[in-house]
mmCIF file of all heavy atoms in Angstrom:
data_model
loop_
_atom_site.group_PDB
_atom_site.id
_atom_site.type_symbol
_atom_site.label_atom_id
_atom_site.label_comp_id
_atom_site.label_asym_id
_atom_site.label_seq_id
_atom_site.Cartn_x
_atom_site.Cartn_y
_atom_site.Cartn_z
ATOM 1 N N PHE X 576 -10.897 10.308 1.586
ATOM 2 C CA PHE X 576 -11.318 9.857 2.909
ATOM 3 C C PHE X 576 -10.773 10.775 4.000
ATOM 4 O O PHE X 576 -9.628 11.241 3.923
ATOM 5 C CB PHE X 576 -10.832 8.430 3.161
ATOM 6 C CG PHE X 576 -11.353 7.431 2.171
ATOM 7 C CD1 PHE X 576 -10.561 7.018 1.094
ATOM 8 C CD2 PHE X 576 -12.632 6.897 2.287
ATOM 9 C CE1 PHE X 576 -11.033 6.099 0.171
ATOM 10 C CE2 PHE X 576 -13.107 5.981 1.362
ATOM 11 C CZ PHE X 576 -12.317 5.578 0.302
ATOM 12 N N ILE X 577 -11.603 10.981 5.008
ATOM 13 C CA ILE X 577 -11.192 11.721 6.206
ATOM 14 C C ILE X 577 -11.396 10.782 7.386
ATOM 15 O O ILE X 577 -12.527 10.405 7.707
ATOM 16 C CB ILE X 577 -12.026 13.002 6.393
ATOM 17 C CG1 ILE X 577 -11.883 13.923 5.182
ATOM 18 C CG2 ILE X 577 -11.614 13.722 7.681
ATOM 19 C CD1 ILE X 577 -12.858 15.082 5.178
ATOM 20 N N LEU X 578 -10.300 10.363 8.008
ATOM 21 C CA LEU X 578 -10.382 9.440 9.123
ATOM 22 C C LEU X 578 -10.397 10.232 10.425
ATOM 23 O O LEU X 578 -9.444 10.967 10.730
ATOM 24 C CB LEU X 578 -9.199 8.472 9.122
ATOM 25 C CG LEU X 578 -8.965 7.657 7.839
ATOM 26 C CD1 LEU X 578 -7.906 6.584 8.101
ATOM 27 C CD2 LEU X 578 -10.251 7.037 7.335
ATOM 28 N N CYS X 579 -11.480 10.092 11.193
ATOM 29 C CA CYS X 579 -11.605 10.755 12.495
ATOM 30 C C CYS X 579 -10.947 9.860 13.530
ATOM 31 O O CYS X 579 -11.528 8.840 13.948
ATOM 32 C CB CYS X 579 -13.069 10.985 12.839
ATOM 33 S SG CYS X 579 -13.953 12.041 11.676
ATOM 34 N N LEU X 580 -9.752 10.211 13.950
ATOM 35 C CA LEU X 580 -8.948 9.335 14.789
ATOM 36 C C LEU X 580 -9.065 9.678 16.272
ATOM 37 O O LEU X 580 -9.308 10.826 16.641
ATOM 38 C CB LEU X 580 -7.489 9.402 14.358
ATOM 39 C CG LEU X 580 -7.198 9.046 12.901
ATOM 40 C CD1 LEU X 580 -5.717 9.233 12.607
ATOM 41 C CD2 LEU X 580 -7.637 7.634 12.579
ATOM 42 N N GLY X 581 -8.851 8.673 17.106
ATOM 43 C CA GLY X 581 -8.846 8.828 18.548
ATOM 44 C C GLY X 581 -8.067 7.681 19.139
ATOM 45 O O GLY X 581 -6.845 7.623 19.037
ATOM 46 N N HIS X 582 -8.781 6.709 19.727
ATOM 47 C CA HIS X 582 -8.137 5.509 20.255
ATOM 48 C C HIS X 582 -7.414 4.750 19.137
ATOM 49 O O HIS X 582 -7.978 4.501 18.078
ATOM 50 C CB HIS X 582 -9.198 4.603 20.885
ATOM 51 C CG HIS X 582 -8.707 3.239 21.239
ATOM 52 N ND1 HIS X 582 -7.794 3.026 22.253
ATOM 53 C CD2 HIS X 582 -8.974 2.012 20.714
ATOM 54 C CE1 HIS X 582 -7.542 1.735 22.347
ATOM 55 N NE2 HIS X 582 -8.236 1.101 21.421
ATOM 56 N N GLY X 583 -6.155 4.429 19.369
ATOM 57 C CA GLY X 583 -5.397 3.656 18.387
ATOM 58 C C GLY X 583 -4.996 4.427 17.149
ATOM 59 O O GLY X 583 -4.681 3.810 16.119
ATOM 60 N N ALA X 584 -4.979 5.753 17.233
ATOM 61 C CA ALA X 584 -4.673 6.570 16.050
ATOM 62 C C ALA X 584 -3.329 6.217 15.438
ATOM 63 O O ALA X 584 -3.201 6.107 14.216
ATOM 64 C CB ALA X 584 -4.711 8.053 16.422
ATOM 65 N N GLY X 585 -2.325 6.025 16.281
ATOM 66 C CA GLY X 585 -0.989 5.735 15.767
ATOM 67 C C GLY X 585 -0.933 4.463 14.955
ATOM 68 O O GLY X 585 -0.235 4.392 13.935
ATOM 69 N N LYS X 586 -1.674 3.456 15.374
ATOM 70 C CA LYS X 586 -1.641 2.181 14.658
ATOM 71 C C LYS X 586 -2.369 2.279 13.319
ATOM 72 O O LYS X 586 -1.966 1.639 12.337
ATOM 73 C CB LYS X 586 -2.247 1.090 15.535
ATOM 74 C CG LYS X 586 -1.374 0.782 16.747
ATOM 75 C CD LYS X 586 -1.902 -0.367 17.582
ATOM 76 C CE LYS X 586 -0.951 -0.650 18.738
ATOM 77 N NZ LYS X 586 -1.407 -1.767 19.589
ATOM 78 N N ILE X 587 -3.424 3.077 13.272
ATOM 79 C CA ILE X 587 -4.119 3.274 11.995
ATOM 80 C C ILE X 587 -3.218 4.035 11.026
ATOM 81 O O ILE X 587 -3.101 3.679 9.845
ATOM 82 C CB ILE X 587 -5.452 4.008 12.210
ATOM 83 C CG1 ILE X 587 -6.422 3.118 12.988
ATOM 84 C CG2 ILE X 587 -6.067 4.418 10.864
ATOM 85 C CD1 ILE X 587 -7.731 3.783 13.359
ATOM 86 N N LYS X 588 -2.565 5.071 11.507
ATOM 87 C CA LYS X 588 -1.622 5.811 10.657
ATOM 88 C C LYS X 588 -0.518 4.893 10.147
ATOM 89 O O LYS X 588 -0.174 4.917 8.958
ATOM 90 C CB LYS X 588 -1.009 6.974 11.437
ATOM 91 C CG LYS X 588 -1.969 8.094 11.798
ATOM 92 C CD LYS X 588 -1.267 9.139 12.649
ATOM 93 C CE LYS X 588 -2.189 10.260 13.058
ATOM 94 N NZ LYS X 588 -1.518 11.253 13.937
ATOM 95 N N GLN X 589 0.046 4.098 11.053
ATOM 96 C CA GLN X 589 1.170 3.245 10.679
ATOM 97 C C GLN X 589 0.762 2.179 9.684
ATOM 98 O O GLN X 589 1.551 1.791 8.809
ATOM 99 C CB GLN X 589 1.780 2.597 11.926
ATOM 100 C CG GLN X 589 3.221 2.164 11.733
ATOM 101 C CD GLN X 589 4.145 3.339 11.411
ATOM 102 O OE1 GLN X 589 4.112 4.369 12.073
ATOM 103 N NE2 GLN X 589 4.952 3.185 10.365
ATOM 104 N N TYR X 590 -0.484 1.695 9.793
ATOM 105 C CA TYR X 590 -0.956 0.688 8.836
ATOM 106 C C TYR X 590 -0.844 1.220 7.409
ATOM 107 O O TYR X 590 -0.361 0.520 6.508
ATOM 108 C CB TYR X 590 -2.398 0.292 9.136
ATOM 109 C CG TYR X 590 -3.000 -0.601 8.073
ATOM 110 C CD1 TYR X 590 -2.696 -1.954 8.012
ATOM 111 C CD2 TYR X 590 -3.842 -0.082 7.089
ATOM 112 C CE1 TYR X 590 -3.211 -2.770 7.012
ATOM 113 C CE2 TYR X 590 -4.368 -0.885 6.086
ATOM 114 C CZ TYR X 590 -4.053 -2.224 6.053
ATOM 115 O OH TYR X 590 -4.560 -3.026 5.055
ATOM 116 N N PHE X 591 -1.268 2.459 7.205
ATOM 117 C CA PHE X 591 -1.227 3.010 5.850
ATOM 118 C C PHE X 591 0.176 3.469 5.473
ATOM 119 O O PHE X 591 0.569 3.358 4.303
ATOM 120 C CB PHE X 591 -2.242 4.149 5.728
ATOM 121 C CG PHE X 591 -3.666 3.675 5.663
ATOM 122 C CD1 PHE X 591 -4.480 3.730 6.780
ATOM 123 C CD2 PHE X 591 -4.182 3.145 4.495
ATOM 124 C CE1 PHE X 591 -5.795 3.283 6.735
ATOM 125 C CE2 PHE X 591 -5.497 2.689 4.429
ATOM 126 C CZ PHE X 591 -6.294 2.751 5.558
ATOM 127 N N LEU X 592 0.941 3.974 6.427
ATOM 128 C CA LEU X 592 2.316 4.370 6.122
ATOM 129 C C LEU X 592 3.155 3.170 5.684
ATOM 130 O O LEU X 592 4.054 3.294 4.850
ATOM 131 C CB LEU X 592 2.959 5.037 7.338
ATOM 132 C CG LEU X 592 2.460 6.441 7.673
ATOM 133 C CD1 LEU X 592 3.016 6.895 9.016
ATOM 134 C CD2 LEU X 592 2.847 7.430 6.578
ATOM 135 N N ASP X 593 2.857 1.993 6.250
ATOM 136 C CA ASP X 593 3.597 0.775 5.924
ATOM 137 C C ASP X 593 2.929 -0.038 4.816
ATOM 138 O O ASP X 593 3.385 -1.147 4.522
ATOM 139 C CB ASP X 593 3.724 -0.114 7.172
ATOM 140 C CG ASP X 593 4.574 0.513 8.262
ATOM 141 O OD1 ASP X 593 5.358 1.421 7.947
ATOM 142 O OD2 ASP X 593 4.431 0.103 9.437
ATOM 143 N N TYR X 594 1.885 0.495 4.205
ATOM 144 C CA TYR X 594 1.090 -0.297 3.265
ATOM 145 C C TYR X 594 1.953 -0.763 2.089
ATOM 146 O O TYR X 594 2.629 0.030 1.436
ATOM 147 C CB TYR X 594 -0.081 0.518 2.739
ATOM 148 C CG TYR X 594 -1.143 -0.334 2.081
ATOM 149 C CD1 TYR X 594 -2.164 -0.893 2.827
ATOM 150 C CD2 TYR X 594 -1.114 -0.583 0.711
ATOM 151 C CE1 TYR X 594 -3.146 -1.683 2.241
ATOM 152 C CE2 TYR X 594 -2.081 -1.378 0.109
ATOM 153 C CZ TYR X 594 -3.089 -1.918 0.879
ATOM 154 O OH TYR X 594 -4.050 -2.703 0.292
ATOM 155 N N ASN X 595 1.919 -2.046 1.837
ATOM 156 C CA ASN X 595 2.715 -2.642 0.767
ATOM 157 C C ASN X 595 1.780 -3.217 -0.299
ATOM 158 O O ASN X 595 1.150 -4.248 -0.089
ATOM 159 C CB ASN X 595 3.610 -3.753 1.339
ATOM 160 C CG ASN X 595 4.518 -4.366 0.281
ATOM 161 O OD1 ASN X 595 4.504 -3.963 -0.890
ATOM 162 N ND2 ASN X 595 5.306 -5.355 0.686
ATOM 163 N N GLU X 596 1.700 -2.549 -1.424
ATOM 164 C CA GLU X 596 0.815 -2.988 -2.505
ATOM 165 C C GLU X 596 1.201 -4.381 -3.010
ATOM 166 O O GLU X 596 0.363 -5.125 -3.501
ATOM 167 C CB GLU X 596 0.867 -1.993 -3.665
ATOM 168 C CG GLU X 596 0.232 -0.638 -3.381
ATOM 169 C CD GLU X 596 -1.252 -0.628 -3.663
ATOM 170 O OE1 GLU X 596 -1.898 -1.686 -3.549
ATOM 171 O OE2 GLU X 596 -1.780 0.450 -3.998
ATOM 172 N N CYS X 597 2.455 -4.729 -2.874
ATOM 173 C CA CYS X 597 2.907 -6.025 -3.386
ATOM 174 C C CYS X 597 2.397 -7.203 -2.556
ATOM 175 O O CYS X 597 2.394 -8.347 -3.025
ATOM 176 C CB CYS X 597 4.434 -6.072 -3.421
ATOM 177 S SG CYS X 597 5.180 -4.912 -4.583
ATOM 178 N N ALA X 598 1.996 -6.932 -1.326
ATOM 179 C CA ALA X 598 1.588 -8.022 -0.445
ATOM 180 C C ALA X 598 0.318 -8.713 -0.928
ATOM 181 O O ALA X 598 0.130 -9.908 -0.701
ATOM 182 C CB ALA X 598 1.382 -7.495 0.973
ATOM 183 N N ASN X 599 -0.542 -7.976 -1.624
ATOM 184 C CA ASN X 599 -1.828 -8.554 -2.012
ATOM 185 C C ASN X 599 -2.171 -8.330 -3.485
ATOM 186 O O ASN X 599 -3.326 -8.502 -3.871
ATOM 187 C CB ASN X 599 -2.950 -7.970 -1.135
ATOM 188 C CG ASN X 599 -2.836 -8.419 0.309
ATOM 189 O OD1 ASN X 599 -3.142 -9.543 0.664
ATOM 190 N ND2 ASN X 599 -2.382 -7.504 1.158
ATOM 191 N N ASN X 600 -1.199 -7.924 -4.269
ATOM 192 C CA ASN X 600 -1.441 -7.708 -5.690
ATOM 193 C C ASN X 600 -0.358 -8.403 -6.519
ATOM 194 O O ASN X 600 0.775 -8.576 -6.067
ATOM 195 C CB ASN X 600 -1.439 -6.205 -6.006
ATOM 196 C CG ASN X 600 -2.647 -5.494 -5.432
ATOM 197 O OD1 ASN X 600 -3.767 -5.675 -5.884
ATOM 198 N ND2 ASN X 600 -2.422 -4.674 -4.408
ATOM 199 N N ASP X 601 -0.709 -8.785 -7.731
ATOM 200 C CA ASP X 601 0.265 -9.380 -8.633
ATOM 201 C C ASP X 601 1.267 -8.311 -9.090
ATOM 202 O O ASP X 601 0.911 -7.128 -9.263
ATOM 203 C CB ASP X 601 -0.435 -9.965 -9.864
ATOM 204 C CG ASP X 601 -1.358 -11.134 -9.508
ATOM 205 O OD1 ASP X 601 -1.184 -11.704 -8.411
ATOM 206 O OD2 ASP X 601 -2.242 -11.454 -10.321
ATOM 207 N N PHE X 602 2.512 -8.715 -9.279
ATOM 208 C CA PHE X 602 3.527 -7.771 -9.738
ATOM 209 C C PHE X 602 4.636 -8.520 -10.474
ATOM 210 O O PHE X 602 4.755 -9.747 -10.388
ATOM 211 C CB PHE X 602 4.110 -6.968 -8.565
ATOM 212 C CG PHE X 602 4.802 -7.800 -7.515
ATOM 213 C CD1 PHE X 602 6.160 -8.066 -7.582
ATOM 214 C CD2 PHE X 602 4.083 -8.303 -6.433
ATOM 215 C CE1 PHE X 602 6.798 -8.816 -6.610
ATOM 216 C CE2 PHE X 602 4.707 -9.061 -5.451
ATOM 217 C CZ PHE X 602 6.080 -9.321 -5.533
ATOM 218 N N VAL X 603 5.428 -7.761 -11.213
ATOM 219 C CA VAL X 603 6.568 -8.305 -11.944
ATOM 220 C C VAL X 603 7.844 -7.842 -11.251
ATOM 221 O O VAL X 603 8.066 -6.638 -11.041
ATOM 222 C CB VAL X 603 6.570 -7.844 -13.409
ATOM 223 C CG1 VAL X 603 7.828 -8.354 -14.118
ATOM 224 C CG2 VAL X 603 5.321 -8.330 -14.131
ATOM 225 N N PHE X 604 8.683 -8.797 -10.886
ATOM 226 C CA PHE X 604 9.954 -8.556 -10.194
ATOM 227 C C PHE X 604 11.078 -8.699 -11.219
ATOM 228 O O PHE X 604 11.188 -9.737 -11.869
ATOM 229 C CB PHE X 604 10.071 -9.605 -9.069
ATOM 230 C CG PHE X 604 11.311 -9.542 -8.253
ATOM 231 C CD1 PHE X 604 11.332 -8.873 -7.044
ATOM 232 C CD2 PHE X 604 12.476 -10.207 -8.669
ATOM 233 C CE1 PHE X 604 12.470 -8.859 -6.259
ATOM 234 C CE2 PHE X 604 13.612 -10.186 -7.897
ATOM 235 C CZ PHE X 604 13.622 -9.503 -6.689
ATOM 236 N N SER X 605 11.882 -7.677 -11.369
ATOM 237 C CA SER X 605 12.952 -7.741 -12.368
ATOM 238 C C SER X 605 14.179 -6.977 -11.881
ATOM 239 O O SER X 605 14.129 -6.267 -10.864
ATOM 240 C CB SER X 605 12.466 -7.180 -13.716
ATOM 241 O OG SER X 605 12.051 -5.833 -13.570
ATOM 242 N N ASP X 606 15.271 -7.129 -12.643
ATOM 243 C CA ASP X 606 16.544 -6.473 -12.321
ATOM 244 C C ASP X 606 16.988 -6.759 -10.892
ATOM 245 O O ASP X 606 17.464 -5.863 -10.164
ATOM 246 C CB ASP X 606 16.437 -4.951 -12.525
ATOM 247 C CG ASP X 606 16.241 -4.577 -13.976
ATOM 248 O OD1 ASP X 606 16.581 -5.415 -14.845
ATOM 249 O OD2 ASP X 606 15.732 -3.486 -14.255
ATOM 250 N N GLY X 607 16.816 -8.014 -10.472
ATOM 251 C CA GLY X 607 17.260 -8.399 -9.145
ATOM 252 C C GLY X 607 16.543 -7.673 -8.030
ATOM 253 O O GLY X 607 17.076 -7.537 -6.926
ATOM 254 N N GLY X 608 15.338 -7.210 -8.321
ATOM 255 C CA GLY X 608 14.555 -6.521 -7.299
ATOM 256 C C GLY X 608 14.638 -5.011 -7.385
ATOM 257 O O GLY X 608 13.965 -4.302 -6.639
ATOM 258 N N ARG X 609 15.499 -4.495 -8.316
ATOM 259 C CA ARG X 609 15.606 -3.045 -8.452
ATOM 260 C C ARG X 609 14.373 -2.459 -9.119
ATOM 261 O O ARG X 609 14.122 -1.258 -9.010
ATOM 262 C CB ARG X 609 16.865 -2.679 -9.239
ATOM 263 C CG ARG X 609 18.167 -2.942 -8.477
ATOM 264 C CD ARG X 609 19.379 -2.487 -9.260
ATOM 265 N NE ARG X 609 19.576 -3.286 -10.476
ATOM 266 C CZ ARG X 609 20.221 -4.453 -10.497
ATOM 267 N NH1 ARG X 609 20.706 -4.950 -9.364
ATOM 268 N NH2 ARG X 609 20.375 -5.120 -11.612
ATOM 269 N N ARG X 610 13.629 -3.306 -9.803
ATOM 270 C CA ARG X 610 12.397 -2.839 -10.452
ATOM 271 C C ARG X 610 11.253 -3.771 -10.084
ATOM 272 O O ARG X 610 11.357 -4.986 -10.272
ATOM 273 C CB ARG X 610 12.562 -2.792 -11.964
ATOM 274 C CG ARG X 610 11.297 -2.342 -12.698
ATOM 275 C CD ARG X 610 11.496 -2.357 -14.201
ATOM 276 N NE ARG X 610 12.593 -1.496 -14.616
ATOM 277 C CZ ARG X 610 13.015 -1.402 -15.875
ATOM 278 N NH1 ARG X 610 12.462 -2.142 -16.824
ATOM 279 N NH2 ARG X 610 14.011 -0.594 -16.177
ATOM 280 N N VAL X 611 10.186 -3.191 -9.541
ATOM 281 C CA VAL X 611 8.972 -3.931 -9.218
ATOM 282 C C VAL X 611 7.813 -3.220 -9.901
ATOM 283 O O VAL X 611 7.557 -2.029 -9.647
ATOM 284 C CB VAL X 611 8.724 -4.006 -7.698
ATOM 285 C CG1 VAL X 611 7.391 -4.694 -7.416
ATOM 286 C CG2 VAL X 611 9.859 -4.748 -7.006
ATOM 287 N N THR X 612 7.138 -3.922 -10.800
ATOM 288 C CA THR X 612 6.033 -3.327 -11.543
ATOM 289 C C THR X 612 4.724 -3.963 -11.103
ATOM 290 O O THR X 612 4.502 -5.162 -11.315
ATOM 291 C CB THR X 612 6.220 -3.530 -13.065
ATOM 292 O OG1 THR X 612 7.495 -3.011 -13.450
ATOM 293 C CG2 THR X 612 5.108 -2.833 -13.832
ATOM 294 N N LEU X 613 3.873 -3.185 -10.501
ATOM 295 C CA LEU X 613 2.569 -3.686 -10.068
ATOM 296 C C LEU X 613 1.665 -3.920 -11.269
ATOM 297 O O LEU X 613 1.597 -3.085 -12.178
ATOM 298 C CB LEU X 613 1.903 -2.689 -9.119
ATOM 299 C CG LEU X 613 2.447 -2.613 -7.692
ATOM 300 C CD1 LEU X 613 1.930 -1.360 -6.998
ATOM 301 C CD2 LEU X 613 2.053 -3.858 -6.905
ATOM 302 N N LEU X 614 0.978 -5.049 -11.286
ATOM 303 C CA LEU X 614 0.022 -5.342 -12.357
ATOM 304 C C LEU X 614 -1.374 -4.837 -12.003
ATOM 305 O O LEU X 614 -2.221 -4.676 -12.872
ATOM 306 C CB LEU X 614 -0.012 -6.849 -12.617
ATOM 307 C CG LEU X 614 1.322 -7.451 -13.079
ATOM 308 C CD1 LEU X 614 1.161 -8.943 -13.341
ATOM 309 C CD2 LEU X 614 1.841 -6.740 -14.332
ATOM 310 N N ASN X 615 -1.620 -4.623 -10.745
ATOM 311 C CA ASN X 615 -2.854 -3.987 -10.290
ATOM 312 C C ASN X 615 -2.587 -3.383 -8.927
ATOM 313 O O ASN X 615 -1.556 -3.630 -8.314
ATOM 314 C CB ASN X 615 -4.024 -4.988 -10.241
ATOM 315 C CG ASN X 615 -3.688 -6.223 -9.445
ATOM 316 O OD1 ASN X 615 -2.809 -6.991 -9.835
ATOM 317 N ND2 ASN X 615 -4.387 -6.437 -8.340
ATOM 318 N N SER X 616 -3.493 -2.538 -8.471
ATOM 319 C CA SER X 616 -3.242 -1.806 -7.242
ATOM 320 C C SER X 616 -4.521 -1.667 -6.431
ATOM 321 O O SER X 616 -5.629 -1.750 -6.976
ATOM 322 C CB SER X 616 -2.679 -0.418 -7.575
ATOM 323 O OG SER X 616 -2.509 0.350 -6.412
ATOM 324 N N ASP X 617 -4.368 -1.476 -5.127
ATOM 325 C CA ASP X 617 -5.517 -1.325 -4.245
ATOM 326 C C ASP X 617 -5.875 0.132 -3.975
ATOM 327 O O ASP X 617 -7.027 0.531 -4.080
ATOM 328 C CB ASP X 617 -5.228 -1.976 -2.874
ATOM 329 C CG ASP X 617 -5.134 -3.488 -2.970
ATOM 330 O OD1 ASP X 617 -5.824 -4.064 -3.815
ATOM 331 O OD2 ASP X 617 -4.359 -4.070 -2.193
ATOM 332 N N ILE X 618 -4.872 0.925 -3.591
ATOM 333 C CA ILE X 618 -5.188 2.220 -2.993
ATOM 334 C C ILE X 618 -4.456 3.397 -3.640
ATOM 335 O O ILE X 618 -4.413 4.483 -3.067
ATOM 336 C CB ILE X 618 -4.879 2.197 -1.483
ATOM 337 C CG1 ILE X 618 -3.391 2.099 -1.207
ATOM 338 C CG2 ILE X 618 -5.620 1.050 -0.790
ATOM 339 C CD1 ILE X 618 -3.022 2.267 0.265
ATOM 340 N N ASP X 619 -3.888 3.203 -4.827
ATOM 341 C CA ASP X 619 -3.078 4.278 -5.394
ATOM 342 C C ASP X 619 -3.892 5.517 -5.747
ATOM 343 O O ASP X 619 -3.330 6.605 -5.902
ATOM 344 C CB ASP X 619 -2.298 3.788 -6.619
ATOM 345 C CG ASP X 619 -3.194 3.367 -7.771
ATOM 346 O OD1 ASP X 619 -4.368 3.046 -7.520
ATOM 347 O OD2 ASP X 619 -2.711 3.355 -8.917
ATOM 348 N N ASP X 620 -5.214 5.390 -5.865
ATOM 349 C CA ASP X 620 -6.031 6.559 -6.183
ATOM 350 C C ASP X 620 -6.738 7.133 -4.951
ATOM 351 O O ASP X 620 -7.573 8.023 -5.070
ATOM 352 C CB ASP X 620 -7.067 6.214 -7.262
ATOM 353 C CG ASP X 620 -8.013 5.100 -6.840
ATOM 354 O OD1 ASP X 620 -7.693 4.354 -5.889
ATOM 355 O OD2 ASP X 620 -9.103 4.968 -7.456
ATOM 356 N N TRP X 621 -6.383 6.634 -3.758
ATOM 357 C CA TRP X 621 -7.015 7.138 -2.546
ATOM 358 C C TRP X 621 -6.252 8.350 -2.005
ATOM 359 O O TRP X 621 -5.024 8.408 -2.045
ATOM 360 C CB TRP X 621 -7.026 6.080 -1.453
ATOM 361 C CG TRP X 621 -7.873 4.871 -1.735
ATOM 362 C CD1 TRP X 621 -8.558 4.593 -2.880
ATOM 363 C CD2 TRP X 621 -8.099 3.761 -0.852
ATOM 364 N NE1 TRP X 621 -9.197 3.380 -2.772
ATOM 365 C CE2 TRP X 621 -8.931 2.845 -1.534
ATOM 366 C CE3 TRP X 621 -7.663 3.454 0.430
ATOM 367 C CZ2 TRP X 621 -9.345 1.649 -0.962
ATOM 368 C CZ3 TRP X 621 -8.072 2.256 1.011
ATOM 369 C CH2 TRP X 621 -8.917 1.366 0.322
ATOM 370 N N THR X 622 -6.995 9.310 -1.473
ATOM 371 C CA THR X 622 -6.429 10.420 -0.713
ATOM 372 C C THR X 622 -7.002 10.323 0.688
ATOM 373 O O THR X 622 -8.229 10.319 0.870
ATOM 374 C CB THR X 622 -6.798 11.777 -1.337
ATOM 375 O OG1 THR X 622 -6.289 11.849 -2.670
ATOM 376 C CG2 THR X 622 -6.234 12.919 -0.514
#
């Protein structure tokens, strides 16, 4: 993807910089949080 930015560019950048796959995908939490294993992912193959 190539995002043509202008108005609100900083907020669009920050949305992806802060993107948390765990917020909307199932995952396994172990070792007191030292290990988080995603069971599926949204955007790991996006450039």
Side-chain angles (χ1 to χ4, degrees):
F576 300 99
I577 301 170
L578 305 190
C579 299
L580 303 177
H582 169 68
K586 292 184 178 180
I587 293 175
K588 292 176 181 178
Q589 203 61 48
Y590 172 78
F591 286 101
L592 288 171
D593 294 340
Y594 196 88
N595 183 1
E596 290 273 29
C597 295
N599 292 285
N600 290 290
D601 295 341
F602 61 91
V603 176
F604 179 96
S605 59
D606 294 339
R609 290 183 293 275
R610 179 182 301 176
V611 176
T612 305
L613 285 166
L614 299 182
N615 53 295
S616 176
D617 292 328
I618 68 172
D619 64 338
D620 60 342
W621 294 4
T622 300

